[in-house]
Amino acid sequence: DSGVTQTPKHLITATGQRVTLRCSPRSGDLSVYWYQQSLDQGLQFLIQYYNGEERAKGNILERFSAQQFPDLHSELNLSSLELGDSALYFCASGGWSGGPNSGANVLTFGAGSRLTVL
Amino acid sequence: DQQVKQNSPSLSVQEGRISILNCDYTNSMFDYFLWYKKYPAEGPTFLISISSIKDKNEDGRFTVFLNKSAKHLSLHIVPSQPGDSAVYFCAASAYDTDKLIFGTGTRLQVFP
């Protein structure tokens, strides 16, 4: 158990629908990161939140949005789903807030949410 | 724009031998490099990291080598064990950001 909790583990839905993926970070971690892993692809960075504020944005579609709540859990909302959105969505947490000489930012990942869009 | 590349999708190694996994990068602003291991149905787990100011870091059976001039790093596993069979991801971060940029992964199979 990594300490990062993701729900649901599996989700099957239809095109055009909307889903919400939930993530609880490891205790003490302020940052939450969302990554997408499609078939045979690496982990694509979507978005990062730090203590409730958006910190960095990656290749996140406009149909996707995220937020981090005061209790630090985060939700990733995926709407108008398409077949190509079928993927593993990982949440990771970390406590390091950046800056030189701060050491490697080791992210701790959850087990992922597998989304299948039919 | 794939800033971190793992050109070998798979690698097969006999138990007891050395496994060498390779990674190339393009962004000279990267200051830390990390390796993660991923088993099926699990999230990636951190293995080892190296700072850009070093050329080698060792942790038990795992050693990471960094060649900055070639923008290349490698992970050596010696001796390889069947339990090492997993997908290995190379990742990098730049000094001005927290996020990690991942490669596409290399599937390692260690056979008896």
Side-chain angles (χ1 to χ4, degrees):
Chain A
D1 183 5
S2 68
V4 178
T5 304
Q6 287 189 250
T7 57
K9 283 188 169 42
H10 302 275
L11 192 54
I12 301 175
T13 189
T15 55
Q17 295 299 303
R18 172 191 167 95
V19 298
T20 297
L21 309 180
R22 195 180 192 276
C23 170
S24 293
R26 203 176 50 161
S27 176
D29 286 348
L30 301 178
S31 273
V32 168
Y33 306 74
W34 287 97
Y35 284 84
Q36 178 194 56
Q37 185 185 19
S38 301
L39 191 64
D40 293 331
Q41 296 293 311
L43 293 150
Q44 298 293 320
F45 171 72
L46 295 178
I47 197 164
Q48 177 204 355
Y49 278 82
Y50 176 77
N51 204 19
E53 300 288 327
E54 183 183 302
R55 180 76 172 234
K57 218 167 188 175
N59 300 323
I60 188 167
L61 300 172
E62 284 191 15
R63 300 183 285 109
F64 296 0
S65 64
Q67 55 184 324
Q68 186 179 28
F69 295 87
D71 67 353
L72 299 177
H73 91 269
S74 177
E75 293 181 357
L76 178 67
N77 301 297
L78 316 175
S79 62
S80 303
L81 285 168
E82 302 175 359
L83 296 178
D85 296 328
S86 296
L88 267 169
Y89 291 85
F90 288 102
C91 168
S93 73
W96 179 67
S97 60
N101 303 319
S102 300
N105 186 26
V106 177
L107 302 188
T108 301
F109 283 82
S113 293
R114 181 175 293 281
L115 173 65
T116 302
V117 182
L118 301 176
Chain B
D1 176 24
Q2 192 70 26
Q3 298 184 63
V4 178
K5 301 176 188 177
Q6 294 176 258
N7 293 319
S8 298
S10 63
L11 175 68
S12 191
V13 171
Q14 189 173 30
E15 181 179 5
R17 302 274 189 156
I18 184 171
S19 295
I20 301 176
L21 297 98
N22 294 303
C23 178
D24 297 296
Y25 63 96
T26 57
N27 189 344
S28 54
M29 300 299 283
F30 288 147
D31 64 344
Y32 277 95
F33 302 90
L34 300 85
W35 285 93
Y36 278 78
K37 178 170 71 173
K38 185 184 180 304
Y39 292 120
E42 296 183 12
T45 56
F46 170 71
L47 203 52
I48 191 169
S49 67
I50 188 168
S51 163
S52 61
I53 63 173
K54 298 192 174 180
D55 55 19
K56 177 182 174 182
N57 189 26
E58 194 171 349
D59 184 1
R61 296 186 298 114
F62 303 91
T63 303
V64 56
F65 295 92
L66 175 63
N67 182 335
K68 275 189 73 174
S69 60
K71 292 192 174 68
H72 176 84
L73 63 153
S74 60
L75 174 68
H76 293 212
I77 307 174
V78 182
S80 301
Q81 299 173 354
D84 296 329
S85 297
V87 177
Y88 288 78
F89 290 99
C90 172
S93 66
Y95 76 98
D96 60 346
T97 178
D98 300 352
K99 69 184 182 189
L100 296 182
I101 306 296
F102 283 83
T104 50
T106 296
R107 184 178 302 276
L108 173 67
Q109 183 183 9
V110 180
F111 59 92

